[in-house]
Amino acid sequence: MKQAIKLPIGVEDFRKLRTEGYYFVDKTRFIRALLAGHADVTLFARPRRFGKTLSLSMVEAFFSQQHRDEAMHLFAGTEIASDTAVMREAGSKPVLFLSLKDIEADHFTQMLAAFARKMAVTYLRFPAIKTSLQPAEQAYWERVEWQQASLVDLQDSLRSLLEFMVRHTGKKVLLLIDEYDAPIQQAWAHGYYQEAIDFFRPFLSAALKTNPALDFALITGVLRIAKESIFSGLNNLEVSTVLSGGYADVFGYTRREVEQIAKDFDCMAQLPEIASWYDGYAFQGVDIYNPWSVNNYFRQDCKAAKYWANTSGNTILAQLLHDADKARWQDLQALMDGRSIVAGVDENVIYGSIDTDEAALYTLLLLTGYLKAVRTVDEESGLYELSIPNQEVRRAYRTEILSRFGGGEKDPSLYKMFQAMTNGDAQAFEEYLQKIILRTVSLYDAARPESFYHGLMLGFTLYYEKDYRVVSNLESGYGRLDLALFPHHRGMPGILMEFKAVKQEDKLDAAVKKALTQIQERAYTTQLQESGAEKIWCYGIAFCRKQVVVRLSERTTRYE
C-alpha cells in the first residue's frame, strides 16, 4: 500500500484538499451539470458523510468572485479544466456559503443563540459591504454583528445579507446552504421541534422565495421535510434524493472511482471486501460506495471496520426500537438476517409522525443511509423493496440495539453470558441474562409482548457474530423456531432458543417447559444438525416483565 498518499479524512474544504496534496477524486462534472441547467433552488438530500460539504465547497471555489484569481490553479488538471465554456464561468459570481451542521442545542433559546453567533460570523466575512450601507441598515448590521438581533432580525438576516451583497457587487448571489436540516433534527431529538420549524420557515423562505437578489441556491441536507412547509410557497424548488431528481453520482464514490483508488493504492485484491463492507447504496439506480468509510479503510491499511456513524440515523433507530411493535420487530429481524422487506416510502416526510407513520419511518431510514432501495415494487403507491446496504451498516444496527439496552459491544456481562450459553450452563446463562434485564429494561418495555423479548435477544446474540451466524425465525423441522446460532468453527456447539412471554410470574415454569416441548416435537434441531454442528444446546426461555427463566433441554448431547 502506498503510505505516501494523503487521504482527505474529514477534509471538507476544497481549497485545502487541492493545495495541500490530498488524494483527489474528481467530481468537477457537478459544475458542468449545474451550468448545463439548474433550478432556482435545488435541495440535495443524501446521508451524512457522503461528501455534500466538500461538493458545495468545490462549487464555491469555482464560482466565487472573492477567489477568482486562484480558480484556474485549483481546477488545473481536472475533468472540466479543458472545457473553455465552463472555465469562462470561474470566479463569475458573489457567493454566500452558510453551514448549519454545527448548530447543536438542547433548548430553543440555545439554538437561537447559536444562530445569532453563526450569522454574526457570516456578516463579519464581508466588512466592505457594511461601509456602503445607509445608517439604518448599518444599525441593523451591527445588531446582527454584535449578536443583539431580535428574533425578527434573525429570521430576516439571510435575506438582508443577500440584498446587501447584490447592491455592493452589482451581481446576483449564489447561495450555498449546507446541512440545512441539522438544527431541525436536533430540535426533534430534544423536544423543541415546533419552535424550530416556526423559526426556520421565514428564515429560509424569505431568502429563497422570489428573491431578486438570488441567482440560484444549492442546499444540502438529509431530508426534504416538505409536509412541514419549511419551504412554504416555494414553487421554484427541485429536489435530488437517493430515489430521484438527478445528480445521482455527485455524492459518494462510484464503482469506477473506488476501483481507481484501489489501483492507486495497490490494493486491487481488496475490492470484494470493500464492496461487501461499504458498497450497496443505490442512488437513483447508480451503485454508490460510502466515501467516508472507503477513505478510512485505505487509511487504516485496508482494515475492514465500522467507520461511518450517522448521529441523526442513530436517534431515529433508537426511536424505532423504543416504539417497536411486533410488526416492526419482525421487519428489523428480517433486515438484520440479510433479508429485505417491502414498505411504503414517502419523501415528503414529517418528523412528528415517525412513531406512528410506517412510511415516515422507513423513508427516514432510507434517506439517512440505514436502508437502500433494492427495487420499486409499486411506484404509484410508493412501495419499495428495502434492505440493509452492507456489513458496515448491519453492524451499526447491532451496535445501536446493544446500546439501546445498555449493553454495548464490550459489555463483560454479554461475554460472560456467551460463555455460559455455549457451555450449556443454563443456570449461569439465566443469572447473567437476569442481571442485564434488571439493569437495562424498563417496566414500560417489559410490558411488551413476546416479540419485544425476541428482538431483545436477537440484539444481544448479534454480539456473537464473530463466532456464530445468527438467524431469527428460521423454518426448521415442522415449524419456525425463534432463534438459532450456527457456529462458524468446528467444535463449537450449535444453539437454539425458543421464547415465551407470560403475564404472571407463577406461569414462568410452565411456559419454559412448553418452549422445550415445542423444540422437541417440531424437530427444530433439523437445520442445525444438517449444518454439521456436533453438539446442540436447546434453550427454553420464558419472560414475565423483568423476570426470566432459562432451562436447557435434556436432548443436548451429540446428535448422530
Side-chain angles (χ1 to χ4, degrees):
M1 179 170 172
K2 298 181 180 179
Q3 296 290 348
I5 301 177
K6 291 169 59 178
L7 280 160
I9 306 296
V11 177
E12 298 178 326
D13 185 328
F14 184 77
R15 293 180 183 84
K16 180 176 180 178
L17 186 146
R18 292 292 284 163
T19 59
E20 296 186 13
Y22 286 96
Y23 188 88
F24 175 58
V25 176
D26 193 338
K27 295 282 188 179
T28 57
R29 58 186 177 277
F30 181 33
I31 293 169
R32 180 186 284 118
L34 290 173
L35 289 171
H38 56 74
D40 289 341
V41 181
T42 306
L43 169 62
F44 300 96
R46 297 293 192 279
R48 298 272 184 258
R49 303 288 195 181
F50 271 72
K52 300 190 297 293
T53 303
L54 181 60
S55 295
L56 289 194
S57 178
M58 177 182 70
V59 171
E60 179 194 30
F62 181 82
F63 283 108
S64 176
Q65 279 184 333
Q66 299 97 307
H67 305 283
R68 180 190 296 116
D69 294 340
E70 64 178 339
M72 291 299 178
H73 170 67
L74 291 174
F75 289 87
T78 66
E79 184 178 324
I80 62 171
S82 60
D83 190 327
T84 304
V86 170
M87 293 306 296
R88 193 178 298 125
E89 297 296 322
S92 62
K93 305 176 188 296
V95 180
L96 175 58
F97 190 127
L98 179 66
S99 174
L100 302 183
K101 67 168 57 179
D102 55 350
I103 301 289
E104 298 182 359
D106 294 337
H107 308 286
F108 180 62
T109 53
Q110 292 178 349
M111 190 205 81
L112 287 180
F115 249 94
R117 290 192 297 272
K118 173 66 66 175
M119 295 311 298
V121 170
T122 303
Y123 271 53
L124 285 168
R125 287 176 13 214
F126 304 96
I129 295 178
K130 179 181 177 181
T131 60
S132 64
L133 300 179
Q134 298 297 319
E137 294 171 334
Q138 286 191 8
Y140 171 84
W141 183 289
E142 289 175 353
R143 290 198 300 274
V144 176
E145 184 179 298
W146 296 343
Q147 300 179 46
Q148 297 174 350
S150 67
L151 178 65
V152 174
D153 284 342
L154 275 180
Q155 287 177 325
D156 196 51
S157 59
L158 182 57
R159 185 208 63 80
S160 294
L161 182 54
L162 293 173
E163 179 184 336
F164 297 154
M165 289 177 69
V166 75
R167 278 164 38 192
H168 183 75
T169 64
K171 290 189 175 184
K172 292 185 177 182
V173 181
L174 166 56
L175 175 62
L176 307 173
I177 302 178
D178 191 34
E179 303 288 7
Y180 86 97
D181 58 339
I184 299 171
Q185 292 177 12
Q186 283 281 315
W188 176 77
H190 293 284
Y192 58 94
Y193 164 74
Q194 191 57 51
E195 292 171 297
I197 290 294
D198 291 342
F199 173 81
F200 273 101
R201 186 180 295 117
F203 177 80
L204 290 175
S205 295
L208 299 171
K209 182 181 177 182
T210 58
N211 184 352
L214 184 67
D215 185 351
F216 66 97
L218 305 180
I219 307 172
T220 72
V222 175
L223 306 176
R224 177 174 179 170
I225 327 182
K227 280 186 179 177
E228 282 133 353
S229 300
I230 193 168
F231 299 118
S232 179
L234 194 64
N235 56 13
N236 59 346
L237 173 71
E238 288 188 1
V239 183
S240 168
T241 72
V242 300
L243 294 176
S244 61
Y247 305 98
D249 65 349
V250 170
F251 308 101
Y253 289 160
T254 65
R255 183 185 300 272
R256 183 173 58 85
E257 288 165 344
V258 171
E259 289 175 350
Q260 184 60 53
I261 299 171
K263 181 179 179 181
D264 292 340
F265 278 81
D266 295 331
C267 293
M268 294 294 286
Q270 278 69 43
L271 282 172
E273 181 176 63
I274 299 170
S276 173
W277 274 79
Y278 310 119
D279 187 14
Y281 299 94
F283 293 175
Q284 303 173 36
V286 177
D287 191 25
I288 296 293
Y289 290 66
N290 183 323
W292 172 264
S293 300
V294 169
N295 286 348
N296 276 280
Y297 175 84
F298 286 110
R299 175 74 172 269
Q300 299 299 325
D301 295 326
C302 295
K303 178 183 178 182
K306 183 170 69 69
Y307 298 111
W308 179 71
N310 186 333
T311 55
S312 58
N314 287 343
T315 305
I316 294 162
L317 193 52
Q319 183 76 16
L320 159 65
L321 293 168
H322 186 274
D323 296 313
D325 55 16
K326 182 176 181 180
R328 285 188 177 177
W329 271 117
Q330 289 175 340
D331 284 346
L332 187 60
Q333 292 159 17
L335 290 166
M336 288 192 293
D337 287 345
R339 291 177 281 151
S340 60
I341 64 171
V342 174
V345 171
D346 180 4
E347 292 185 274
N348 297 319
V349 295
I350 177 167
Y351 269 105
S353 65
I354 290 174
D355 55 349
T356 58
D357 183 349
E358 182 176 303
L361 168 69
Y362 290 114
T363 302
L364 287 165
L365 290 175
L366 174 65
L367 296 181
T368 54
Y370 278 85
L371 292 176
K372 72 170 180 178
V374 178
R375 64 184 179 93
T376 305
V377 175
D378 187 335
E379 186 171 3
E380 185 173 344
S381 58
L383 287 178
Y384 289 82
E385 181 182 351
L386 306 172
S387 68
I388 293 176
N390 51 49
Q391 289 195 51
E392 180 180 47
V393 178
R394 186 165 184 266
R395 295 195 179 210
Y397 272 82
R398 182 186 70 178
T399 303
E400 185 62 25
I401 290 171
L402 293 175
S403 64
R404 165 70 179 88
F405 295 108
E409 292 190 76
K410 297 182 179 179
D411 188 346
S413 298
L414 287 174
Y415 176 72
K416 291 175 182 178
M417 188 174 78
F418 171 72
Q419 287 185 311
M421 183 179 68
T422 54
N423 288 333
D425 188 344
Q427 182 178 350
F429 184 3
E430 178 183 300
E431 289 176 1
Y432 286 116
L433 180 57
Q434 182 68 80
K435 289 178 182 178
I436 294 171
I437 288 175
L438 287 172
R439 186 177 77 242
T440 64
V441 177
S442 72
L443 287 174
Y444 172 79
D445 290 326
R448 305 298 183 89
E450 182 183 312
S451 59
F452 168 78
Y453 296 103
H454 188 148
L456 177 67
M457 294 303 295
L458 174 63
F460 288 156
T461 52
L462 285 173
Y463 174 83
Y464 313 130
E465 274 191 317
K466 290 183 179 179
D467 297 301
Y468 284 92
R469 178 169 63 93
V470 180
V471 183
S472 174
N473 288 316
L474 174 69
E475 290 188 10
S476 182
Y478 303 109
R480 187 172 64 182
L481 59 88
D482 284 333
L483 204 59
L485 279 67
F486 291 78
H488 291 316
H489 315 290
R490 286 186 61 84
M492 295 190 71
I495 296 170
L496 191 153
M497 300 183 206
E498 187 66 22
F499 309 121
K500 299 296 177 185
V502 295
K503 295 182 179 180
Q504 296 175 304
E505 289 185 21
D506 60 3
K507 303 291 186 183
L508 281 168
D509 285 334
V512 81
K513 290 177 182 177
K514 183 179 179 180
L516 292 173
T517 300
Q518 188 172 321
I519 291 171
Q520 183 172 351
E521 291 181 349
R522 299 186 184 180
Y524 281 165
T525 58
T526 301
Q527 291 239 30
L528 277 166
Q529 288 177 255
E530 292 177 351
S531 74
E534 297 178 0
K535 183 180 290 186
I536 302 173
W537 300 129
C538 301
Y539 290 102
I541 305 178
F543 301 90
C544 179
R545 293 184 293 276
K546 288 194 172 190
Q547 295 298 313
V548 61
V549 172
V550 178
R551 295 290 182 268
L552 187 64
S553 169
E554 294 179 0
R555 296 185 60 203
T556 56
T557 55
R558 185 182 302 274
Y559 286 78
E560 303 297 341

